[in-house]
Amino acid sequence: MKIRDMMTLFWPFSVLLLSDKNQASETEVKYKFTEKNYTLVPADISNNVNILDLSHNQITLNVTDVKVLQRYFLLTELSLNENSISILYNNSFSNLSSLAILHICRNSINIIQQDAFIGLNKLKELHLCQNKIFQLNPEVFVPLSNLKVLNLQDNLMNYFDRLQLLHLELIVLCGNPWNCTCRLFNLQDWLNTSKVILDHENLTMCAYPDNLKHYNIKTVPFTPECHTKLISATDEDLHIHFQPISNSTFNSSLNNVTRNPEHEPLGKSWAFLAGVVITVLVTSLLILLAIKCPIWYKLLLSYNHHRLEEREVETCEDGFNGNANSPSQMSHINSEDTIVIFEQLHSFAVDDDGFIEDKYIDTNELCEEK
């Protein structure tokens, strides 16, 4: 009984001691290194740091910075605003499992690799505002299973798809040049059907086409064709995601083989192959013609047979005193006369002395000499 009485007597004091220890463990360790012109994350900070502010420096978040950040595994809030970060590499925050708030605004980020946010399972707020993000895959945010606030304000995005974040409550998308065509209808449908709040909704306007600039992305009217495309895409996603896990590989391959060709057009590889073959054949034919044409041209020039012109016939008649081809003349010409005529016609042939007469001598002069 005395022991129980003593425990009852000292119980309030033990409760106070435990509460003091919890308060000591919850004490925030905060470091602020703003406007220090740092180019690297400082490595001489206590490992017990909870809040680290490195804004207004020249940090690029390279491999060395990532290794230093992994030491501060107790961080709950990290600020890297207004630095020189252009790329968020894979596993940049992989060891910061306690991080809840991450600020990376006013940098020059234009690339976010697929696994950049792996390890941030407790992250609740992600601020990527005022960067140069042009295209962003929503699957980048899949590791952020507890994310509640996503700030993408003032970037260069004109398209963004729906997110698979169950705990997301607020998203900021204003200040981007949104293209309000059918491609953006998927995002609008997600904003209208989910419980996510679009912050600054009236400022999240369409940039083009021109006739839709006075609409915000949540209320812009879309054509019925866009609704049809959304329904078909949703049905296809359901068909893919709800397949049995044990037969996923077999069913996926079977689906690729038996897919309806009306919904998926055939590839154009055969047309490309045919074009290549035709181009090779035509090129080969042109090369062959270029090689053979000079030979054919020479053969054509060497072919000298042609009909006798009327002027040449009259000239020869003066020398022969008549047409040698007429039947009346042929009867009076004996074999010796034929030989003489042949010798007259071919008087320019090679003589015994080895000299060749010029074959360009005028025929009229030759006949007069004869």
Side-chain angles (χ1 to χ4, degrees):
M1 296 293 294
K2 292 182 179 181
I3 297 175
R4 290 182 179 178
D5 293 338
M6 292 178 64
M7 291 180 62
T8 305
L9 181 63
F10 288 103
W11 174 253
F13 296 100
S14 62
V15 171
L16 290 174
L17 290 173
L18 290 174
S19 62
D20 292 339
K21 182 179 288 187
N22 291 332
Q23 289 178 0
S25 62
E26 293 178 357
T27 302
E28 293 181 348
V29 180
K30 183 176 180 180
Y31 284 88
K32 186 175 181 180
F33 298 96
T34 59
E35 298 181 358
K36 300 293 184 180
N37 204 25
Y38 286 159
T39 57
L40 296 173
V41 175
D44 54 351
I45 304 175
S46 173
N47 293 342
N48 296 326
V49 60
N50 300 122
I51 300 175
L52 180 58
D53 190 355
L54 297 172
S55 302
H56 307 280
N57 286 290
Q58 302 297 324
I59 297 172
T60 59
L61 204 61
N62 54 23
V63 177
T64 304
D65 295 329
V66 171
K67 290 182 180 180
V68 173
L69 280 178
Q70 290 178 351
R71 302 178 186 177
Y72 311 136
F73 54 91
L74 295 179
L75 276 177
T76 58
E77 184 175 347
L78 175 62
S79 179
L80 293 168
N81 292 333
E82 293 195 33
N83 278 276
S84 302
I85 303 172
S86 59
I87 300 176
L88 291 181
Y89 296 98
N90 291 332
N91 303 305
S92 295
F93 315 96
S94 58
N95 202 38
L96 306 181
S97 57
S98 300
L99 194 65
I101 301 174
L102 178 59
H103 291 270
I104 325 179
C105 290
R106 295 184 294 279
N107 281 267
S108 301
I109 299 174
N110 52 30
I111 296 176
I112 300 178
Q113 295 187 355
Q114 184 68 30
D115 298 329
F117 300 121
I118 280 184
L120 299 179
N121 301 325
K122 296 182 180 180
L123 192 69
K124 295 181 179 180
E125 296 184 18
L126 177 59
H127 299 271
L128 294 169
C129 52
Q130 298 180 24
N131 282 285
K132 297 180 180 179
I133 302 173
F134 175 76
Q135 188 174 6
L136 188 59
N137 187 353
E139 294 183 0
V140 170
F141 304 111
V142 171
L144 308 178
S145 55
N146 289 300
L147 191 67
K148 293 184 178 181
V149 177
L150 177 60
N151 187 355
L152 296 171
Q153 179 180 352
D154 293 328
N155 279 279
L156 302 176
M157 297 187 301
N158 57 21
Y159 163 76
F160 193 57
D161 207 345
R162 62 174 64 211
L163 294 170
Q164 302 296 331
L165 297 175
L166 300 178
H167 299 283
L168 191 65
E169 299 176 357
L170 180 70
I171 188 170
V172 186
L173 299 173
C174 59
N176 288 278
W178 298 110
N179 181 7
C180 293
T181 57
C182 284
R183 194 181 180 192
L184 199 67
F185 179 69
N186 205 14
L187 174 63
Q188 185 194 75
D189 181 73
W190 174 73
L191 291 173
N192 290 325
T193 56
S194 65
K195 297 181 181 180
V196 179
I197 298 174
L198 178 61
D199 196 25
H200 303 299
E201 178 179 338
N202 294 330
L203 300 178
T204 312
M205 309 297 290
C206 300
Y208 45 91
D210 294 336
N211 59 333
L212 298 177
K213 283 186 176 181
H214 57 285
Y215 288 98
N216 65 68
I217 63 172
K218 196 173 181 179
T219 61
V220 60
F222 287 99
T223 61
E225 181 183 359
C226 300
H227 294 262
T228 305
K229 290 182 179 179
L230 176 64
I231 294 173
S232 61
T234 304
D235 292 341
E236 185 175 357
D237 291 339
L238 291 174
H239 176 70
I240 292 174
H241 291 295
F242 285 94
Q243 291 177 347
I245 297 176
S246 59
N247 297 326
S248 59
T249 305
F250 172 77
N251 290 336
S252 61
S253 60
L254 183 62
N255 186 40
N256 291 333
V257 174
T258 60
R259 189 183 294 271
N260 190 349
E262 294 180 357
H263 298 284
E264 183 175 345
L266 295 175
K268 297 184 179 181
S269 58
W270 63 270
F272 176 77
L273 179 61
V276 171
V277 172
I278 294 173
T279 304
V280 171
L281 291 176
V282 172
T283 305
S284 302
L285 183 59
L286 292 176
I287 293 174
L288 182 62
L289 290 175
I291 295 174
K292 293 296 183 180
C293 275
I295 299 175
W296 294 341
Y297 183 74
K298 291 180 180 179
L299 292 175
L300 183 63
L301 289 179
S302 64
Y303 188 78
N304 294 325
H305 294 84
H306 59 279
R307 296 184 61 183
L308 196 63
E309 297 182 1
E310 185 176 356
R311 184 179 61 82
E312 295 177 355
V313 174
E314 293 176 356
T315 305
C316 292
E317 285 180 356
D318 295 336
F320 303 148
N321 296 322
N323 188 1
N325 295 328
S326 62
S328 59
Q329 296 293 333
M330 289 296 294
S331 60
H332 298 287
I333 298 175
N334 54 17
S335 59
E336 295 180 356
D337 295 333
T338 303
I339 294 172
V340 172
I341 293 172
F342 180 80
E343 291 178 352
Q344 291 178 350
L345 288 174
H346 297 277
S347 60
F348 57 87
V350 179
D351 294 333
D352 293 337
D353 55 1
F355 293 99
I356 301 174
E357 295 184 359
D358 191 355
K359 61 181 181 180
Y360 293 100
I361 297 176
D362 191 6
T363 309
N364 292 329
E365 296 179 359
L366 179 62
C367 293
E368 289 175 0
E369 290 176 0
K370 295 299 181 179

